[in-house]
Amino acid sequence: MSHEMPFWKKYIFSTDHKVIGLQYGITATFFLLFGFFLMILMRWQLAYPGVEIPLIGKAISDSGALTPELYNALGAMHGTIMIFLGVVPMGVGAFGNYLVPLQVGACDMAFPKLNMMSYWVYFVGGVIMMASFLMPGGAAASGWTSYPPLSVISNNAQTVWLISMVFLITSSLLGSVNTIVTAIQLRVKGLNFMRWPVHVWAQVTTAFLLLLAFPPLEAAAVLQLADRVFGSSFFLPSGLVVSGEKWPGAGGGNPLLWQHLFWFLAHPEVYVLILPAVGVVCEIVTANCKKPLYGYKTMVYSILFLGFMSFVVWAHHMFMTGMGVTLSSFFQATTMIISIPSVIILTTLLLTLWGASIRFSVPMLFATAFLPMFAIGGLTGLPLGLTASDIHLHDTYYVIGHFHYVVAPGTLFALMGGVYYWYPKFSGRQMNQTLGKIHFWTSFIAINFVFLPMFLMGSKGVSRRMYDQTVYSYGASTQSWNVVMSTAAFVLLIAQIPFIWNMFTAWKIGKKVENDNPWEATTLEWAATSPPPHENFTTPVEVYRSPYSYSETSGKVLPQFSPQEA
């Protein structure tokens, strides 16, 4: 006999993958907005160096302007929060948790209590990270990469940063085990691996990346914590001098060891950010083109190869450390090779669009925008993978432009499209399409004005961590672009207001969907009611065909879960 669960068990300490997915989504949205706000403060300083920040300046510092120390802290925390507390929990925690069980026909994740634990460990890690702002001397200021020896000798907030990272990594490990087991072991009848939606392939590959790449960074965080708290010297070299005095306890360590351990995680982490977005885009494109995904198997093998190759390219971040010619040549080669599956992924999506009768819904606008934005991000990465050009471009604004084109108009646009696309499944209601189009076009134009000029500035050698570039002649020559980029960033912030309003108000006042499959999609999650009940499916489901099936003669939708043939 069923009974109503108390509120705290149903919505707070829930073991339902759908509630946990929404918890991840709402929490990650908060962190994304907070990380965005930190970037706005930095962009004000870059556009108007030394000028008091309007409204909140006096609350930040005595002068009302950012100090160099605070600017460094904001840069470190912006990167950390956006990646580890924002984009990854949104793409993997929110979309992965909510959709993977539905897309394989499972009633929940394989380990529901472990799933609940993964969210709350992430939540605690986020609270600890935010608490570092309250530490004497301010937040951690050693960059999101946390390179020693600076990170070992910096303020106490760095210790808090490391503790938080241990929690966040543990959360990812718990979640990745759950995703892998759920997708492989809880598949419904008829769902063989080559009938998985691309989104499931992307999430499972991402889970393997997290499972294999995060432990080295967790170990490195513990070692750096030991250097800071217990006086060990894993990353401190012999003869380290700080402010004219020999640093006590330093000796025998190697700062490059941290860089290897960090980038062994952080380059697969780039694909942890990208692959869920690719999966989301594939679902949106096929549903809005009403045609099968071109080259489904090619897409799947490209995703798997991308995941594998991401483990053998990490040292292209370290060309400037003095590595030998043989080693740098190897990582140059692997970096060029890893671009091949990315090109294949984009090509299959473009060929899917070719000749289709495209429905330009709001999700489709975001999905199609992802393609050129991801392409720009990928192509601009190639010069950074070559030692000769990387000497000039390393640690300049060019690197920021490259990375952000992949993650911001790339990954985040795809995830925003995913919110619009699956919102009817989450809530049983549609988001307002007019507000959605305002959100898309304003964001699309603004975000390109934020990041495109960075390639020009980086080519001129402007350093990425410069507090005030006008003190150098080569920096002063491009200062006008900082004003343009900062203005565009403020517009981009304003453009998120209709999205946030739309996302939260549509839950109550949005137009109710007329049926459980408003997009006429073919994958298994649309067999459930909108929103799905506690155990997802009211009747047993079975898979009869590939995930993207449409009749070649009539164009009729052929869902995976429908036994009827065209």
Side-chain angles (χ1 to χ4, degrees), residues 33-50:
L33 290 172
F34 184 75
F36 195 178
F37 174 71
L38 299 184
M39 183 271 287
I40 291 293
L41 296 180
M42 296 169 67
R43 287 247 54 98
W44 176 270
Q45 162 61 27
L46 291 169
Y48 312 107

Side-chain angles (χ1 to χ4, degrees), residues 62 102 110 118 129-130 132 176 189 252-253 283 307 316 361 399 435 473 521 525:
D62 293 336
L102 285 167
S118 73
M129 187 68 73
M130 298 297 283
S132 69
S176 57
K189 182 180 178 182
E283 306 304 317
H316 68 215
S361 59
V399 179
L435 287 177
S473 58
E525 74 269 27

Side-chain angles (χ1 to χ4, degrees), residues 207-437:
F208 272 110
L209 296 186
L210 289 170
L211 197 61
L212 297 173
F214 251 145
L217 182 61
E218 186 158 24
V222 172
L223 296 182
Q224 190 179 123
L225 201 57
D227 279 8
R228 290 183 55 85
V229 177
F230 303 121
S232 59
S233 185
F234 292 105
F235 304 119
L236 298 179
S238 301
L240 179 64
V241 175
V242 179
S243 300
E245 296 183 9
K246 187 176 180 181
W247 189 260
N254 191 341
L256 289 183
L257 173 60
W258 168 271
Q259 291 195 31
H260 281 291
L261 293 171
F262 180 87
W263 288 115
F264 186 78
L265 164 275
H267 202 86
E269 180 79 0
V270 173
Y271 298 99
V272 168
L273 301 173
I274 277 294
L275 289 179
V278 169
V280 168
V281 168
C282 288
E283 306 304 317
I284 296 172
V285 166
T286 51
N288 285 276
C289 286
K290 294 279 183 68
K291 61 182 288 193
L293 182 70
Y294 186 93
Y296 168 82
K297 287 187 178 181
T298 307
M299 172 72 82
V300 169
Y301 295 140
S302 295
I303 288 173
L304 293 173
F305 185 64
L306 201 62
F308 169 76
M309 286 300 296
S310 71
F311 286 103
V312 288
V313 296
W314 81 88
H316 68 215
H317 297 272
M318 300 170 58
F319 285 151
M320 299 292 281
T321 61
M323 68 171 62
V325 174
T326 303
L327 199 58
S328 63
S329 298
F330 170 79
F331 283 106
Q332 277 187 119
T334 56
T335 302
M336 296 303 108
I337 291 169
I338 202 172
S339 66
I340 296 171
S342 300
V343 172
I344 293 172
I345 287 169
L346 286 173
T347 304
T348 57
L349 286 166
L350 288 171
L351 289 172
T352 303
L353 294 171
W354 183 265
S357 179
I358 301 172
R359 173 179 55 192
F360 280 107
S361 59
V362 174
M364 191 60 173
L365 291 174
F366 279 98
T368 48
F370 166 86
L371 303 179
M373 299 297 96
F374 178 49
I376 292 172
L379 286 171
T380 54
L382 295 179
L384 298 173
L386 300 171
T387 51
S389 49
D390 186 62
I391 291 171
H392 178 64
L393 297 172
H394 185 81
D395 256 356
T396 66
Y397 268 95
Y398 186 96
V399 179
I400 298 185
H402 153 66
F403 179 70
H404 282 79
Y405 257 101
V406 173
V407 177
T411 297
L412 283 177
F413 264 35
L415 297 180
M416 287 174 180
V419 171
Y420 285 102
Y421 178 68
W422 278 293
Y423 198 88
K425 183 56 57 183
F426 301 156
S427 67
R429 297 177 184 269
Q430 286 274 20
M431 293 175 73
N432 185 288
Q433 298 298 294
T434 302
L435 287 177
K437 289 176 181 177

